[in-house]
Amino acid sequence: MYIQLLYMKELQDILHSTSNLSASKAAVISVFYVNNVIKESILNDLKPFDLSIEQFNVLRILRGQKGKPLNLQDIQERMINKMSNTTRLVDKLIKKNFVKRNICEQNRRKVEIVITESGLDILKELDDKIINTEKNITSQLTSEELKQLNTLLLKINN
Amino acid sequence: MYIQLLYMKELQDILHSTSNLSASKAAVISVFYVNNVIKESILNDLKPFDLSIEQFNVLRILRGQKGKPLNLQDIQERMINKMSNTTRLVDKLIKKNFVKRNICEQNRRKVEIVITESGLDILKELDDKIINTEKNITSQLTSEELKQLNTLLLKINN
DNA sequence: ACATTACATTTGTATATACAATTGTTGTAT
DNA sequence: ATACAACAATTGTATATACAAATGTAATGT
């Protein structure tokens, strides 16, 4: 765990203070930390498969398409990070044979990306691990608290 | 805003489902998204000053020392990302004259880093902007909800 | 038909990050 | 005193990311 005791103390102080300013600062910092904790554990699951988190996300996005292809723009839009280089990310997935790439005949500017059998297989293998990790991460929360957290995070996104 | 409507719909579906598995998945994904939204806005504040978020954090850590120096290990421990290269990050801050670097006389293996006047000035300039951004990010939440959110995030970190 | 603009992806380049190996310094055991 | 291990920071290298410019394709106006 990379959270430092020193930092935790500061955060708790902020939390117990009455200031609203500090509360938003604490939330921002906490999100950074939690994000990091999550990233570390998921990356750990992905490491044996030589996948980055974004590559994993793109695979899941493509699986969600159930065979329908997506072009690079569509993929980019659905990615968590508005990353600038979907081309190179997809190139890496192609090299690993997890996705296929065709030029769209209707509009030759576009390329169509589809997940392969091998890509689906690797996702299947990963599913259980990831679900387990997600459960572990949130294991400190009751299901009621988890629901609360989701509601609050969703509000921030709107 | 980089959150896609499509994604938001999925998230809400998960949220309204009863499955606990889905709830932890939703939380994990939401944290990623919120983290990204926050990162974007703070990075936007920092851009005019040519600072990355970690560089900004290191400056704040050093300010918190109130003159007492920190060596690279101490800095690394307090950083949000357990980044591997504090040397190079600090080098950049030195180039910008925001921090100073001395070799520790008691233990010549260590280097002592202190924030400069110029570093303090830039932080002062940034303080208001960042506070404002933090308020904006959490503006959808009441102060009660904000407190809840902080409590929940803190639980995950423990 | 031709030029112009918009579109979709790719390529180039600079910077950031992750991880391993190296350098120089200190502490410790014999 | 010497050798060896532990420590703190730096350097090297490969990969990832951010942003800008370039390439190739399609749509539009005259």
Side-chain angles (χ1 to χ4, degrees):
Chain A
M1 193 72 102
Y2 301 106
I3 309 298
Q4 293 305 305
L5 289 179
L6 197 140
Y7 156 73
M8 291 304 288
K9 198 193 158 305
E10 282 174 28
L11 248 194
Q12 274 163 345
D13 288 350
I14 292 175
L15 212 76
H16 294 134
S17 88
T18 47
S19 162
N20 216 24
L21 281 184
S22 305
S24 44
K25 189 178 286 296
V28 164
I29 297 177
S30 289
V31 168
F32 279 158
Y33 271 93
V34 172
N35 182 74
N36 231 259
V37 170
I38 297 175
K39 227 178 80 183
E40 298 278 344
S41 14
I42 292 193
L43 223 47
N44 203 43
D45 290 339
L46 297 181
K47 196 164 286 176
F49 300 90
D50 188 32
L51 286 174
S52 72
I53 290 184
E54 275 302 347
Q55 287 174 24
F56 175 58
N57 276 328
V58 168
L59 283 182
R60 288 199 293 190
I61 289 166
L62 290 170
R63 175 169 64 178
Q65 286 300 103
K66 305 192 187 303
K68 264 192 296 174
L70 276 179
N71 60 43
L72 292 181
Q73 274 195 331
D74 294 337
I75 292 174
Q76 185 158 20
E77 274 177 6
R78 286 171 171 78
M79 278 162 57
I80 290 174
N81 300 310
K82 59 146 189 114
M83 246 243 320
S84 40
N85 228 317
T86 316
T87 300
R88 280 193 272 247
L89 190 152
V90 167
D91 278 351
K92 275 159 212 156
L93 291 175
I94 291 172
K95 257 187 207 151
K96 295 167 196 161
N97 279 319
F98 294 154
V99 305
K100 261 188 320 200
R101 196 197 110 107
N102 300 309
I103 288 167
C104 172
E105 279 312 314
Q106 281 74 44
N107 185 342
R108 293 169 45 73
R109 286 173 297 188
K110 296 188 180 183
V111 295
E112 292 176 336
I113 311 295
V114 194
I115 190 165
T116 63
E117 277 305 314
S118 160
L120 288 170
D121 288 348
I122 219 130
L123 279 187
K124 205 163 192 174
E125 256 192 272
L126 270 166
D127 275 339
D128 290 348
K129 285 193 185 186
I130 299 288
I131 285 172
N132 203 41
T133 299
E134 287 163 348
K135 273 203 294 188
N136 279 341
I137 289 163
T138 54
S139 63
Q140 305 292 325
L141 305 180
T142 67
S143 82
E144 195 48 50
E145 287 174 328
L146 198 48
K147 230 173 200 166
Q148 266 180 37
L149 178 62
N150 278 327
T151 311
L152 295 171
L153 290 174
L154 203 57
K155 277 195 187 178
I156 293 182
N157 276 337
N158 283 331
Chain B
M1 196 68 106
Y2 299 106
I3 312 298
Q4 294 305 305
L5 288 179
L6 198 140
Y7 157 74
M8 290 305 288
K9 197 191 159 306
E10 282 174 27
L11 249 194
Q12 275 162 344
D13 287 350
I14 292 174
L15 211 75
H16 293 134
S17 89
T18 47
S19 162
N20 216 24
L21 281 184
S22 306
S24 45
K25 190 178 283 300
V28 164
I29 297 177
S30 288
V31 168
F32 279 158
Y33 271 92
V34 171
N35 182 74
N36 230 259
V37 170
I38 297 175
K39 226 178 81 181
E40 298 278 344
S41 13
I42 292 193
L43 223 47
N44 203 45
D45 289 340
L46 297 180
K47 197 164 286 175
F49 299 90
D50 188 31
L51 285 175
S52 72
I53 288 183
E54 275 302 347
Q55 286 175 24
F56 176 57
N57 276 328
V58 168
L59 283 182
R60 288 200 293 192
I61 289 166
L62 290 170
R63 176 169 65 178
Q65 286 299 103
K66 304 193 188 301
K68 266 193 292 176
L70 276 179
N71 61 41
L72 291 182
Q73 275 196 331
D74 294 337
I75 291 175
Q76 186 159 18
E77 274 178 5
R78 287 172 171 77
M79 278 163 55
I80 290 175
N81 300 310
K82 61 149 188 109
M83 245 243 321
S84 41
N85 228 316
T86 316
T87 301
R88 281 193 271 248
L89 190 152
V90 167
D91 278 350
K92 275 159 212 156
L93 291 175
I94 292 172
K95 257 188 206 152
K96 295 169 196 159
N97 279 316
F98 294 154
V99 306
K100 260 188 320 200
R101 196 198 111 107
N102 300 310
I103 289 167
C104 173
E105 280 311 316
Q106 282 74 44
N107 186 342
R108 292 168 48 70
R109 286 173 295 187
K110 296 188 180 182
V111 296
E112 292 177 334
I113 310 295
V114 192
I115 190 166
T116 61
E117 278 305 314
S118 160
L120 289 169
D121 288 348
I122 219 128
L123 278 187
K124 206 163 192 176
E125 255 191 273
L126 270 165
D127 275 340
D128 290 348
K129 285 192 185 189
I130 299 289
I131 286 172
N132 202 42
T133 299
E134 288 163 348
K135 273 204 295 188
N136 279 341
I137 289 164
T138 55
S139 62
Q140 305 291 325
L141 304 179
T142 66
S143 81
E144 196 47 51
E145 287 173 327
L146 198 49
K147 228 170 201 168
Q148 265 180 38
L149 177 63
N150 278 328
T151 310
L152 295 171
L153 290 174
L154 204 57
K155 276 193 186 178
I156 293 183
N157 276 337
N158 282 330

